[in-house]
């Protein structure tokens, strides 16, 4: 189960709205959705969580590139919404690098009928391990809003969004969309 909400900073404080991410296919789509929540180009936070496994924060300030923090990259990698946050840049990879096998280099003899080739499976294992079981991204994403890097990294996925909202003074508005 996923939960996603937008927190938009306004002159009157924070406004929350729940959001459906079904039509969001890329980080750019998510940033555009966040920008739509704040016509005055104020700060918008996209808060995401998946069943106490991981949480993510995407911060959009006007037309600037989105800033991203993900609490557990490996856990997020196993979810569709986490996948869109885990950009090559965020993971420290060469943009456009592909984790999958090089299809031109595969020898398909003997594998057409579903037989496995142990050597290929061993070669594929390091690519899967290239996503750390740790936080990735901008851990200073909320510094100016009252949550420093140490506090952010110490948050548990099960109550992180509530803790973040409380520190922002937005817990009531977040709970209205939860």
């Amino acid at each position: 189960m996923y939960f996603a909400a937008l927190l938009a900073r306004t002159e009157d404080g924070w406004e929350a709205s729940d959001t459906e991410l079904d039509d969001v296919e890329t980080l750019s789509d998510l940033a555009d959705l966040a920008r739509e929540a704040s016509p005055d180009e104020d700060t918008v936070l996209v808060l995401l969580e998946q069943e106490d496994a991981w949480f993510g924060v995407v911060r959009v300030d006007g037309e600037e590139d989105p800033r991203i923090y993900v609490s557990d990259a490996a856990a997020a990698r196993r979810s569709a919404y986490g996948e869109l946050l885990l950009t090559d840049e965020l993971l420290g990879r060469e943009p456009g690098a592909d984790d999958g096998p090089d299809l031109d280099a595969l020898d398909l003899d003997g594998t057409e009928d579903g037989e496995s080739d142990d050597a290929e499976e061993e070669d594929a294992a390091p690519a899967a391990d290239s996503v750390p079981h740790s936080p990735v991204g901008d851990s200073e994403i909320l510094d100016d809003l009252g949550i420093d890097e140490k506090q952010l990294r110490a948050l548990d996925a099960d109550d992180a969004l509530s803790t973040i909202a409380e520190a922002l003074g937005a817990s009531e508005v977040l709970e209205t969309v939860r």
Side-chain angles (χ1 to χ4, degrees):
M1 167 141 309
Y2 293 93
F3 173 72
L6 297 173
L7 281 179
R9 186 164 48 179
T10 68
E11 292 175 0
D12 300 326
W14 293 94
E15 290 181 6
S17 58
D18 61 343
T19 186
E20 288 296 322
L21 300 179
D22 295 339
D23 295 332
V24 175
E25 295 179 9
T26 65
L27 180 59
S28 181
D29 293 343
L30 184 62
D32 290 343
L33 182 69
R35 287 183 185 103
E36 290 171 11
S38 179
D40 295 330
E41 296 189 8
D42 289 323
T43 298
V44 178
L45 301 176
V46 181
L47 304 175
L48 299 147
E49 69 181 3
Q50 180 194 7
E51 295 179 347
D52 305 335
W54 66 275
F55 71 93
V57 178
V58 178
R59 179 176 177 159
V60 178
D61 292 303
E63 291 300 318
E64 292 180 27
D65 288 340
R67 296 167 57 192
I68 306 163
Y69 176 82
V70 176
S71 67
D72 183 333
R77 176 72 178 246
R78 294 186 295 270
S79 76
Y81 298 131
E83 271 287 314
L84 67 97
L85 301 181
L86 298 174
T87 63
D88 287 336
E89 182 181 341
L90 192 71
L91 295 172
R93 294 184 186 154
E94 191 67 33
D98 186 13
D99 285 346
D102 180 2
L103 297 179
D104 294 331
L106 287 180
D107 178 13
L108 297 177
D109 290 340
T111 60
E112 289 88 359
D113 296 326
E115 297 173 24
S116 68
D117 182 351
D118 292 338
E120 286 180 23
E121 289 175 15
E122 289 174 15
D123 289 344
D129 291 340
S130 66
V131 178
H133 287 277
S134 62
V136 294
D138 184 352
S139 56
E140 298 175 350
I141 193 170
L142 301 173
D143 272 2
D144 64 324
L145 299 175
I147 301 172
D148 65 27
E149 176 179 0
K150 184 177 177 181
Q151 293 168 315
L152 185 62
R153 288 182 175 269
L155 293 176
D156 288 324
D158 61 340
D159 65 351
L161 299 190
S162 297
T163 303
I164 290 169
E166 186 175 320
L168 299 175
S171 55
E172 286 183 25
V173 293
L174 181 64
E175 287 306 313
T176 62
V177 297
R178 196 177 269 274

